[in-house]
Amino acid sequence: MSELRFVHLGFGADAVEYEEAWQEQRRVHAARFLDEVPDTCLLLEHPPVYTAGRRTADNERPLDGTPVVDVDRGGKITWHGPGQIVGYPIMKLPRPVDVVAHVRRLEDALIQVAADFGLETSRVEGRSGVWVLGDPVEQRPGGLTLDFDPRLADEEFDPRLNGPEYAPSNAGQRREDRKLAAIGIRVAKGVTMHGFALNCNPDNTWYDRIVPCGIRDAGVTSLSAELGRDVPVAEVLPVVEKHLAAVLGTAVPLPRAV
């Protein structure tokens, strides 16, 4: 694997509109396919925006008609916005492409980022991304159990309508599993697109208008929420680059076994 090049597209007041960044992804993707540029990771912040992957259901979108950008990545609906580092690694992988292995490398890098800040994170089986694991069900406050939790037992339950008790942004208060970093990718012509979003200090109530990643029984969090102090993007960015370079820049991806 060649050295990974980082490109800062814009942060803070220079946050990049989603469609503009998507177009830049396409441009770099085409150049990487032709070997005109090395493996490249675009790093940026977006203004507030909801994006929906190919598997997003209608009942996971905002109820108030807030616009959603439908994109060609995997996964479901999520939010991007201020206080979140978005990374788009555009990398050439050997064929046949092992998409799962690429996702696992992204998870590894972000787990190490959290560890550098003293936060233990993990994977959750069957759910991509980086997670802070919750307490065992019997130890959680509020008395909800898996037997009675309407999110699991009631097909009519809609977390978008049920207020703060079930809001994704309050998963930490409920001591449930909560996602720190979301991952959704696409591979075209053997080259990756899209990538990850790591929550540093965003307003997580943006997630309460949707069903984030289509998951009803868990929520979202941020480095700031977990560490109990403000952890801005500028503090996290060099740590993200360090671990992406170490994991993606030194890995030797293998073709998927067939």
Side-chain angles (χ1 to χ4, degrees), residues 81-161:
Q84 182 187 76
I85 296 176
V86 175
Y88 298 131
I90 300 174
M91 310 175 66
K92 182 173 285 191
L93 301 179
R95 301 192 195 194
V97 170
D98 192 334
V99 176
V100 173
H102 178 64
V103 171
R104 294 293 171 264
R105 285 191 290 270
L106 292 176
E107 291 170 345
D108 285 342
L110 297 174
I111 286 170
Q112 292 176 38
V113 170
D116 272 15
F117 285 90
L119 177 61
E120 182 178 357
T121 56
S122 182
R123 297 183 175 92
V124 171
E125 185 176 356
R127 294 177 170 178
S128 66
V130 174
W131 294 79
V132 177
L133 299 183
D135 294 339
V137 172
E138 62 273 11
Q139 296 177 19
R140 294 178 189 171
L144 287 177
T145 70
L146 289 179
D147 292 336
F148 298 101
D149 191 335
R151 293 170 298 179
L152 301 180
D154 182 357
E155 292 184 359
E156 300 298 321
F157 178 82
D158 191 333
R160 301 169 299 174
L161 295 172

Side-chain angles (χ1 to χ4, degrees), residues 7-183:
V7 176
H8 292 188
L9 290 189
F11 295 90
D14 297 320
V16 184
E17 293 290 344
Y18 188 85
E19 295 279 5
E20 179 183 345
W22 195 6
Q23 183 60 35
E24 179 64 6
Q25 280 197 74
R26 295 188 187 102
R27 187 192 70 79
V28 177
H29 181 277
R32 183 66 192 98
F33 174 70
L34 296 173
D35 292 323
E36 295 173 350
V37 298
D39 288 337
T40 300
C41 183
L42 308 178
L43 293 168
L44 63 149
E45 275 180 284
H46 286 303
V49 62
Y50 295 107
T51 70
R54 294 186 298 262
R55 297 190 298 110
T56 301
D58 288 343
N59 62 6
E60 295 162 354
R61 296 169 180 264
L63 286 169
D64 59 4
T66 300
V68 175
V69 179
D70 288 283
V71 296
D72 57 356
R73 61 166 170 80
K76 294 197 170 193
I77 192 167
T78 192
W79 172 83
H80 298 311
Q84 182 187 76
I85 296 176
V86 175
Y88 298 131
I90 300 174
M91 310 175 66
K92 182 173 285 191
L93 301 179
R95 301 192 195 194
V97 170
D98 192 334
V99 176
V100 173
H102 178 64
V103 171
R104 294 293 171 264
R105 285 191 290 270
L106 292 176
E107 291 170 345
D108 285 342
L110 297 174
I111 286 170
Q112 292 176 38
V113 170
D116 272 15
F117 285 90
L119 177 61
E120 182 178 357
T121 56
S122 182
R123 297 183 175 92
V124 171
E125 185 176 356
R127 294 177 170 178
S128 66
V130 174
W131 294 79
V132 177
L133 299 183
D135 294 339
V137 172
E138 62 273 11
Q139 296 177 19
R140 294 178 189 171
L144 287 177
T145 70
L146 289 179
D147 292 336
F148 298 101
D149 191 335
R151 293 170 298 179
L152 301 180
D154 182 357
E155 292 184 359
E156 300 298 321
F157 178 82
D158 191 333
R160 301 169 299 174
L161 295 172
N162 286 74
E165 182 178 2
Y166 296 102
S169 62
N170 287 333
Q173 296 179 31
R174 297 191 299 269
R175 305 305 303 165
E176 295 175 342
D177 292 350
R178 46 217 184 263
K179 185 178 284 192
L180 178 70
I183 295 175

